[in-house]
Amino acid sequence: MQDNALELFEVFIRSKRGLDHKHVGSLHSEDHEQALEYARDVYTRRSEGVSIWVVRSADICASQEDDAEDFFDPNDDKPYRHATYYTLPDAVNNM
Amino acid sequence: MTQQEALQEYLLRLADSDLILSQRLCELCGKAPALEEEMALMNVALDLVGQARHWYEYAAELIDDGRSADDLAFRRDAHDYRNALLVEQPNGDYAVTMGRQFFFDVWHYFTIAALTRAPDERIAGIAAKAAKEVRYHLRRSSEWVKRFGDGTEESHRRMQAAVDALWRFTGEMIEADEVEQLLSQAGIGPDPGQLAVDWKGLVNEVLSEATLTPPPQDAWMYRGAKVGHHTEYLGYILAEMQFLQRAYPDAKTW
């Protein structure tokens, strides 16, 4: 068995106190079942009580470097679209 | 034999099996078939060392002759070791490694489950911690037996060969001697008859799912580990494992 015979999976983990699943890395395995086991062994050894998602890397569609300009720039020159643009009244806490 | 003597003996069996299997697995460090598998294997090996340590510590307290847990692990000879014959068998190919692990894990799973109900709080506590680890070990090794058995023609052939070769070492694990009878009557450890039924049941279930043929139940079995009679492999394992402690007794600076 060699790595090239195995598929690449991306691993997302929600830690015990975490609110969302975060991408932690990738691994090679034969199928989802094994990918979950490996994720447990490779990425969750030191924290109990987690939720793991594994996804075939091939199933992930990523935005392209070339798209960056069209995708992200238009928002950058419209500061009023960002929450940080607005000053909160003193009465509002913890935003 | 008093219950105390039986318990000391039994704790050593648990500890020695954990330690020797762990030592075998550690031989694969850096040699596993894939990076992820390497991590998983070493995790299992570390789990087993941790469990061995707890059993040795308790055994050392009960034996109470000045020997520490380390002394029990590193200063006893093969004829004093009480590990199952199965765990000292060589790693072989990966089907052998996983077959050995599977047969042991099934035994371990039912044994530890019974120990969590022991009236002795110390034993129940160690077992409760171990139970979580052992459940995962069993899940992993069952999965591999099925993958190989129900895999390619070659993996099926190798897995069947591994099962056939290792089978002769499984009988003694599920046969009770005086030690286990005595402890079972005191509510410590599995009921001997039940352990055999449970072990065969789960093993046969996984083997059949893996499309493998279980060897005959009445096949001839090796015995002797419970009184310190081992196969030719244990001496070599101990020579390697205990070298440092024997060459440099009480070495404290590494």
Side-chain angles (χ1 to χ4, degrees), chain B residues 2-14 55 58 62 107 110-127 176-193 195:
Chain B
T2 65
Q3 190 185 314
Q4 161 94 356
E5 285 165 343
L7 183 55
Q8 291 171 11
E9 189 69 17
Y10 192 67
L11 288 171
L12 288 177
R13 289 178 191 178
L14 291 167
W55 297 129
Y58 193 22
L62 293 178
W107 172 85
F110 289 117
T111 299
I112 291 287
L115 290 169
T116 58
R117 299 187 291 270
D120 179 324
E121 275 182 27
R122 178 86 173 263
I123 292 177
I126 298 170
D177 66 349
E178 192 192 353
V179 168
E180 284 143 333
Q181 299 281 9
L182 218 140
L183 290 179
S184 174
Q185 282 153 20
I188 300 168
D191 171 78
L195 176 66

Side-chain angles (χ1 to χ4, degrees), chain B residues 59-242:
Chain B
E61 282 172 41
L62 293 178
I63 293 169
D64 194 26
D65 63 357
R67 285 185 296 174
S68 66
D70 277 356
D71 293 334
L72 291 175
F74 295 110
R75 295 192 182 181
R76 282 182 307 140
D77 283 328
H79 56 262
D80 295 320
Y81 255 74
R82 295 290 182 264
N83 59 281
L85 296 175
L86 176 77
V87 300
E88 70 197 41
Q89 299 313 304
N91 291 327
D93 65 13
Y94 218 60
V96 171
T97 295
M98 280 303 158
R100 182 188 62 196
Q101 191 68 39
F102 170 67
F103 287 154
F104 176 79
D105 288 345
V106 175
W107 172 85
H108 210 193
Y109 171 76
F110 289 117
T111 299
I112 291 287
L115 290 169
T116 58
R117 299 187 291 270
D120 179 324
E121 275 182 27
R122 178 86 173 263
I123 292 177
I126 298 170
K129 184 171 179 287
K132 292 187 236 174
E133 296 170 345
V134 173
R135 280 200 301 270
Y136 185 71
H137 299 173
L138 176 60
R139 172 178 161 157
R140 246 183 60 80
S141 56
S142 313
E143 216 34 62
W144 271 112
V145 169
K146 291 180 213 165
R147 269 174 205 285
F148 284 145
D150 196 15
T152 65
E153 206 174 310
E154 186 184 1
S155 73
H156 176 90
R157 182 181 57 74
R158 285 176 179 245
M159 195 66 239
Q160 184 68 57
V163 165
D164 295 345
L166 293 165
W167 194 254
R168 70 197 68 166
F169 301 110
T170 57
E172 64 156 17
M173 298 198 304
I174 52 173
E175 268 173 15
D177 66 349
E178 192 192 353
V179 168
E180 284 143 333
Q181 299 281 9
L182 218 140
L183 290 179
S184 174
Q185 282 153 20
I188 300 168
D191 171 78
Q194 193 58 45
L195 176 66
V197 170
D198 287 342
W199 188 90
K200 289 174 187 167
L202 185 50
V203 163
N204 287 329
E205 188 185 314
V206 172
L207 291 183
S208 101
E209 204 178 326
T211 70
L212 296 161
T213 314
Q217 298 285 357
D218 57 355
W220 185 82
M221 294 287 177
Y222 276 93
R223 291 179 181 84
K226 290 175 184 179
V227 291
H229 301 161
H230 289 276
T231 55
E232 65 268 37
Y233 302 110
L234 183 65
Y236 292 100
I237 298 176
L238 295 182
E240 187 171 10
M241 193 176 88
Q242 300 179 335

Side-chain angles (χ1 to χ4, degrees), chain B residues 239-251 253-254:
Chain B
E240 187 171 10
M241 193 176 88
Q242 300 179 335
F243 167 79
L244 194 91
Q245 186 56 241
R246 290 177 180 278
Y248 305 97
D250 305 319
T253 313
W254 306 99

Side-chain angles (χ1 to χ4, degrees), chain A residues 1-3 6 26-31 33-38 40-43 45 48, chain B residues 33-44 46-47 132-133 136 139-140 143-144 147:
Chain A
M1 191 167 72
Q2 289 144 7
D3 267 3
L6 300 170
S26 58
L27 50 80
H28 289 89
S29 79
E30 284 184 39
D31 52 33
E33 178 67 21
Q34 193 180 55
L36 273 179
E37 287 178 15
Y38 280 158
R40 179 265 186 195
D41 277 311
V42 177
Y43 293 112
R45 190 62 182 162
E48 298 297 312
Chain B
L35 176 73
E36 293 79 4
E37 191 56 27
E38 169 106 12
M39 301 280 285
L41 267 187
M42 294 308 121
N43 281 342
V44 171
L46 285 173
D47 286 345
K132 292 187 236 174
E133 296 170 345
Y136 185 71
R139 172 178 161 157
R140 246 183 60 80
E143 216 34 62
W144 271 112
R147 269 174 205 285

